[in-house]
Amino acid sequence: MKMREQIMISELTTMRIGGPARYVVEIEQVEDLCWAYEFAEEQGLPVWVMGEGANTIGHDRGFNGVIILNRLRGIEIVAEDEKTMTLRGMAGENWDRFVEFTTARGLSGIETLSKIPGTLGAAPVQNIGAYGRDVSQVLESVEVFDTKTREITIIPKSKMNLSYRSSRFNKGGDVGRFVIVSVTMKLSKEQTLSAPFYASLQRYIDEHNVTDFSPQNIRQMVSTIRADKLPDPQFVASSGSFFKNIYLNKNEADEAEQKGIPLWRNEDGSGKINSGWLIEQCGLKGKQLFGFRVSEKAALVLINESATSYAELDKARAEIRQKVLEKFGYELQQEPVEISE
Ligand code: EPU
């Protein structure tokens, strides 16, 4: 375990803004979690848990509390039969390293989630997804440290309230209660994906006449598509998609259609609007706003080019939301979470 004091949140998050955190503790063993919570309690300070900071934004005032960086690592195979393999990975594992571990063994289930930044433990929190799949489809359970009881328990998928970019870990009364310690997933030894694929993936497949849909090859294609469109947080500051797409019930979808907005319909009539399209239609794609830039390749992504403060983000975000609201009547919801006391 490593403890440091007065560390800038900008150094801990991929968006690279945010003032000083009073304490930062790196956890490498489960026992240290308990210690960190006891330490915070003694000091009368709040706790914030983070992985690689790929979906987290800091405020200029910083955080007068204890930030726990989850560095628990390790991957093991816990069960196997003819058709499936069940894996348990520690929450601090890098997500993409975990994906690679599975595709290298020919396992199918999370191959389209290749190259998503962040940790394995953060994956269920916002139910990460890409190219028509999300992690809820393969999750079995998570092991958590319950900060109320200070005990380790297992939460099965059925008790996680998983939906689009959401779970009981980021929405509702349990936010902040559980620290995810490990994640268990059941993956398939057979290919689980077949044509037609998600639009942007299908486009790539058609253009390159791809016929090999093995997990390794899908990982390869998704990695190429993403590298072309989405900034690598190692080199470019951003939090990936800064806004969520908009999910509509049938009536709302009918209304959107009447307004001429392109949408993806589900069989039950509900639908999805790509917020990136809305932003693009407002003429904001590629635009520079208060030290940020709306990505020229994917309008949902906000890149931090030169901003050093949350105040600048606040202004850039307000301008984008205002324009979309004025033109289309939709309020864009932010995707990354903000460190709060
Ligand atoms: N589109 C535009 N203009 C844009 C961007 C998108 O018109 O600038 C429209 C196009 O019609 C395009 C469609 O939106 O075909 C879908 O775009 P894309 O496949 O790039 O995905 P997205 O909806 O912008 C979502 C996720 C991404 C994920 C991709 C791929 C959210 C908030 N974002 O973006 O996730 O990688 O799908 O599946 O759901 C993230 O969450 O950080 C993230 C990067």
Side-chain angles (χ1 to χ4, degrees), residues 177-189:
R177 174 171 167 187
F178 301 109
V179 182
I180 296 180
V181 168
S182 75
V183 177
T184 300
M185 275 179 210
K186 193 178 200 169
L187 300 171
S188 172
K189 290 183 181 175

Side-chain angles (χ1 to χ4, degrees), residues 58-112:
H59 286 258
D60 293 335
R61 63 173 181 274
F63 180 63
N64 186 25
V66 181
I67 292 187
I68 292 179
L69 300 181
N70 193 327
R71 299 289 183 254
L72 303 169
R73 292 197 219 277
I75 302 173
E76 56 174 346
I77 296 162
V78 291
E80 187 173 358
D81 60 28
E82 228 172 87
K83 291 189 171 157
T84 68
M85 193 182 273
T86 305
L87 300 156
R88 173 175 175 261
M90 299 306 285
E93 273 294 340
N94 172 267
W95 168 259
D96 193 55
R97 218 185 75 84
F98 184 76
V99 177
E100 190 182 29
F101 185 95
T102 68
T103 55
R105 284 158 182 77
L107 298 170
S108 180
I110 52 174
E111 60 271 44
T112 64

Side-chain angles (χ1 to χ4, degrees), residues 130-131 164-165 226 229 241 243 245 274 280 285 299 335:
Y131 308 99
Y164 171 66
R165 294 296 196 272
R226 287 185 76 96
K229 254 193 171 173
S241 293
F243 296 105
N245 282 322
N274 284 109
E280 191 176 341
K285 201 167 178 172
E335 212 219 61

Side-chain angles (χ1 to χ4, degrees), residues 55 116 126 129-132 164-165 198-200 203 226 229-230 239-245 247 264 272 274-278 280 285 295 297-301 335:
N55 202 50
I116 294 181
Q126 58 152 343
Y131 308 99
Y164 171 66
R165 294 296 196 272
Y198 190 81
S200 46
R203 216 173 298 135
R226 287 185 76 96
K229 254 193 171 173
L230 297 163
S239 303
S241 293
F242 189 75
F243 296 105
K244 293 182 187 173
N245 282 322
Y247 283 75
W264 305 91
K272 173 181 104 171
N274 284 109
S275 299
W277 184 86
L278 299 177
E280 191 176 341
K285 201 167 178 172
S295 167
K297 293 176 182 161
L300 271 192
V301 178
E335 212 219 61

